[in-house]
Every structure is written in structure tokens, then in C-alpha cells.
């Protein structure tokens, strides 16, 4: 059974940092591309960042230079380091991967940025 469990969200002030974690089970983690998405209230779920099994990364433009995605294959965990947080980063953040052509999602972790 594939499971993705996010943690690390919280309430912070603008300019502060958070690190999100997504622990996985049920997959051969080291071969999987992992992604982070976010969904603000009333909005669709949007791509934030992804990391491939070779460590290559890509980001949506709005987080480039502020967010860093990384992975620890020994811990089956992917991280999202979020620095210089802005009000518009407020959202539920979801971890994602695909396995046998099926997308899997965690239940999300909430990030709220206040002024």
C-alpha cells in the first residue's frame, strides 16, 4: 500500500521559514520522481516543485530562489525547505508521486503565513 505522509506545516510570519517533510512507504522510493503541490482555499491544486530520481529539480517560477526540494533515499523522505515565506504561500501543501500510472497524494499539511 502506497502511503505519503506530510508534516512540518504551521503558522509563521512573512519572511520566516518552514521545512516540510513527506515520508513515504509502499514504493521503491529511490526510483520515484517526487513532487510538492499546494492548494489555497478556493483555488486549484498547483505544482510547486519536483525532484527526479537523479536529483534534478524544477520549480514553479514564484518559488524559485526561495524554496528548495530535496530527498533522502535512506529515509524514504522528500523535503521542501521554504524560506522568505510570503502571504501568497499560504496553502495546503501536498506530496505527490506516481506508481504504475496512478498518482498518489498525501493528506496535506497546512501552511499559513501572516503579516
Amino acid at each position: 500500500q502506497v502511503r505519503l505522509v506530510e508534516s512540518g506545516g504551521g503558522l509563521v510570519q512573512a519572511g520566516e521559514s518552514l521545512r516540510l517533510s513527506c515520508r513515504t512507504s509502499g514504493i521503491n522510493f529511490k526510483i520515484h520522481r517526487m513532487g510538492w503541490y499546494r492548494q489555497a482555499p478556493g483555488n486549484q491544486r498547483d505544482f510547486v516543485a519536483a525532484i527526479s530520481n537523479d536529483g534534478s529539480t524544477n520549480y514553479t517560477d514564484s518559488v524559485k530562489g526561495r524554496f528548495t526540494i530535496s530527498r533522502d533515499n535512506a529515509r524514504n523522505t522528500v523535503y521542501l525547505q521554504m524560506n522568505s515565506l510570503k502571504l501568497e504561500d499560504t496553502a495546503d501543501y501536498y506530496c505527490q508521486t506516481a506508481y504504475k500510472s496512478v498518482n498518489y497524494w498525501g493528506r496535506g499539511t497546512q501552511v499559513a503565513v501572516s503579516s
Side-chain angles (χ1 to χ4, degrees), residues 16-17 23 63 73 80 83-84 102 113:
E16 294 184 339
S17 300
R23 184 177 177 185
V63 308
N73 290 340
L80 186 68
N83 298 330
S84 302
V102 176
V113 184

Side-chain angles (χ1 to χ4, degrees), residues 30-84:
K30 63 183 179 183
I31 70 171
H32 282 266
R33 180 181 185 269
M34 301 298 302
W36 283 99
Y37 289 73
R38 65 187 179 186
Q39 187 168 16
N43 289 3
Q44 65 182 16
R45 191 170 296 185
D46 293 324
F47 171 78
V48 176
I51 185 166
S52 297
N53 57 1
D54 64 359
S56 59
T57 60
N58 62 301
Y59 300 89
T60 191
D61 286 346
S62 64
V63 308
K64 286 179 180 177
R66 299 189 298 122
F67 290 12
T68 303
I69 189 171
S70 61
R71 64 191 299 156
D72 185 339
N73 290 340
R75 290 181 168 83
N76 296 334
T77 301
V78 61
Y79 303 98
L80 186 68
Q81 177 67 42
M82 306 186 296
N83 298 330
S84 302

